[in-house]
mmCIF file of all heavy atoms in Angstrom:
data_model
loop_
_atom_site.group_PDB
_atom_site.id
_atom_site.type_symbol
_atom_site.label_atom_id
_atom_site.label_comp_id
_atom_site.label_asym_id
_atom_site.label_seq_id
_atom_site.Cartn_x
_atom_site.Cartn_y
_atom_site.Cartn_z
ATOM 1 N N LEU A 51 -7.427 127.418 -43.719
ATOM 2 C CA LEU A 51 -8.583 126.738 -43.149
ATOM 3 C C LEU A 51 -8.758 127.116 -41.687
ATOM 4 O O LEU A 51 -9.883 127.368 -41.228
ATOM 5 C CB LEU A 51 -8.414 125.225 -43.291
ATOM 6 C CG LEU A 51 -9.565 124.346 -42.812
ATOM 7 C CD1 LEU A 51 -10.834 124.647 -43.586
ATOM 8 C CD2 LEU A 51 -9.202 122.868 -42.960
ATOM 9 N N ALA A 52 -7.656 127.173 -40.946
ATOM 10 C CA ALA A 52 -7.726 127.523 -39.530
ATOM 11 C C ALA A 52 -8.280 128.926 -39.331
ATOM 12 O O ALA A 52 -8.997 129.201 -38.361
ATOM 13 C CB ALA A 52 -6.346 127.399 -38.898
ATOM 14 N N ALA A 53 -7.957 129.833 -40.264
ATOM 15 C CA ALA A 53 -8.439 131.210 -40.153
ATOM 16 C C ALA A 53 -9.946 131.312 -40.334
ATOM 17 O O ALA A 53 -10.569 132.282 -39.902
ATOM 18 C CB ALA A 53 -7.735 132.089 -41.188
ATOM 19 N N GLN A 54 -10.551 130.286 -40.965
ATOM 20 C CA GLN A 54 -11.985 130.300 -41.236
ATOM 21 C C GLN A 54 -12.785 129.484 -40.233
ATOM 22 O O GLN A 54 -14.009 129.440 -40.297
ATOM 23 C CB GLN A 54 -12.256 129.756 -42.643
ATOM 24 C CG GLN A 54 -11.619 130.563 -43.753
ATOM 25 C CD GLN A 54 -11.853 129.934 -45.120
ATOM 26 O OE1 GLN A 54 -12.751 129.115 -45.298
ATOM 27 N NE2 GLN A 54 -11.034 130.311 -46.088
ATOM 28 N N SER A 55 -12.093 128.794 -39.321
ATOM 29 C CA SER A 55 -12.774 127.894 -38.404
ATOM 30 C C SER A 55 -12.423 128.230 -36.964
ATOM 31 O O SER A 55 -11.281 128.589 -36.656
ATOM 32 C CB SER A 55 -12.399 126.433 -38.701
ATOM 33 O OG SER A 55 -12.945 125.560 -37.750
ATOM 34 N N SER A 56 -13.396 128.082 -36.083
ATOM 35 C CA SER A 56 -13.158 128.305 -34.653
ATOM 36 C C SER A 56 -12.669 127.036 -33.970
ATOM 37 O O SER A 56 -12.301 127.068 -32.795
ATOM 38 C CB SER A 56 -14.445 128.786 -33.980
ATOM 39 O OG SER A 56 -15.486 127.830 -34.146
ATOM 40 N N GLN A 57 -12.662 125.919 -34.684
ATOM 41 C CA GLN A 57 -12.236 124.649 -34.125
ATOM 42 C C GLN A 57 -10.881 124.255 -34.669
ATOM 43 O O GLN A 57 -10.543 124.559 -35.814
ATOM 44 C CB GLN A 57 -13.250 123.554 -34.448
ATOM 45 C CG GLN A 57 -14.632 123.803 -33.851
ATOM 46 C CD GLN A 57 -15.610 122.701 -34.201
ATOM 47 O OE1 GLN A 57 -15.409 121.967 -35.150
ATOM 48 N NE2 GLN A 57 -16.681 122.586 -33.429
ATOM 49 N N GLN A 58 -10.091 123.568 -33.841
ATOM 50 C CA GLN A 58 -8.804 123.067 -34.289
ATOM 51 C C GLN A 58 -9.009 121.886 -35.223
ATOM 52 O O GLN A 58 -9.797 120.988 -34.933
ATOM 53 C CB GLN A 58 -7.951 122.644 -33.099
ATOM 54 C CG GLN A 58 -6.544 122.203 -33.486
ATOM 55 C CD GLN A 58 -5.676 121.923 -32.275
ATOM 56 O OE1 GLN A 58 -6.127 122.057 -31.135
ATOM 57 N NE2 GLN A 58 -4.437 121.518 -32.519
ATOM 58 N N ILE A 59 -8.326 121.904 -36.343
ATOM 59 C CA ILE A 59 -8.471 120.855 -37.351
ATOM 60 C C ILE A 59 -7.144 120.113 -37.477
ATOM 61 O O ILE A 59 -6.118 120.709 -37.813
ATOM 62 C CB ILE A 59 -8.886 121.452 -38.707
ATOM 63 C CG1 ILE A 59 -10.221 122.189 -38.551
ATOM 64 C CG2 ILE A 59 -9.001 120.360 -39.763
ATOM 65 C CD1 ILE A 59 -10.626 122.970 -39.769
ATOM 66 N N ALA A 60 -7.167 118.825 -37.190
ATOM 67 C CA ALA A 60 -5.945 118.026 -37.201
ATOM 68 C C ALA A 60 -5.545 117.652 -38.619
ATOM 69 O O ALA A 60 -6.387 117.574 -39.528
ATOM 70 C CB ALA A 60 -6.151 116.755 -36.371
ATOM 71 N N ASP A 61 -4.262 117.400 -38.797
ATOM 72 C CA ASP A 61 -3.778 116.963 -40.108
ATOM 73 C C ASP A 61 -4.478 115.680 -40.542
ATOM 74 O O ASP A 61 -4.798 115.503 -41.722
ATOM 75 C CB ASP A 61 -2.265 116.711 -40.056
ATOM 76 C CG ASP A 61 -1.461 118.005 -39.927
ATOM 77 O OD1 ASP A 61 -2.071 119.092 -39.979
ATOM 78 O OD2 ASP A 61 -0.229 117.908 -39.764
ATOM 79 N N ALA A 62 -4.739 114.771 -39.590
ATOM 80 C CA ALA A 62 -5.392 113.513 -39.946
ATOM 81 C C ALA A 62 -6.807 113.751 -40.457
ATOM 82 O O ALA A 62 -7.283 113.015 -41.317
ATOM 83 C CB ALA A 62 -5.428 112.581 -38.742
ATOM 84 N N ASP A 63 -7.488 114.774 -39.928
ATOM 85 C CA ASP A 63 -8.828 115.102 -40.422
ATOM 86 C C ASP A 63 -8.771 115.543 -41.879
ATOM 87 O O ASP A 63 -9.620 115.161 -42.693
ATOM 88 C CB ASP A 63 -9.461 116.206 -39.576
ATOM 89 C CG ASP A 63 -9.759 115.751 -38.163
ATOM 90 O OD1 ASP A 63 -10.028 114.554 -37.975
ATOM 91 O OD2 ASP A 63 -9.716 116.604 -37.250
ATOM 92 N N ILE A 64 -7.779 116.367 -42.196
ATOM 93 C CA ILE A 64 -7.627 116.828 -43.577
ATOM 94 C C ILE A 64 -7.285 115.657 -44.482
ATOM 95 O O ILE A 64 -7.815 115.519 -45.586
ATOM 96 C CB ILE A 64 -6.544 117.920 -43.657
ATOM 97 C CG1 ILE A 64 -7.002 119.166 -42.880
ATOM 98 C CG2 ILE A 64 -6.232 118.274 -45.110
ATOM 99 C CD1 ILE A 64 -5.946 120.254 -42.790
#
Side-chain angles (χ1 to χ4, degrees):
L51 183 61
Q54 299 177 19
S55 174
S56 59
Q57 298 180 340
Q58 184 174 0
I59 300 172
D61 289 355
D63 293 330
I64 295 175

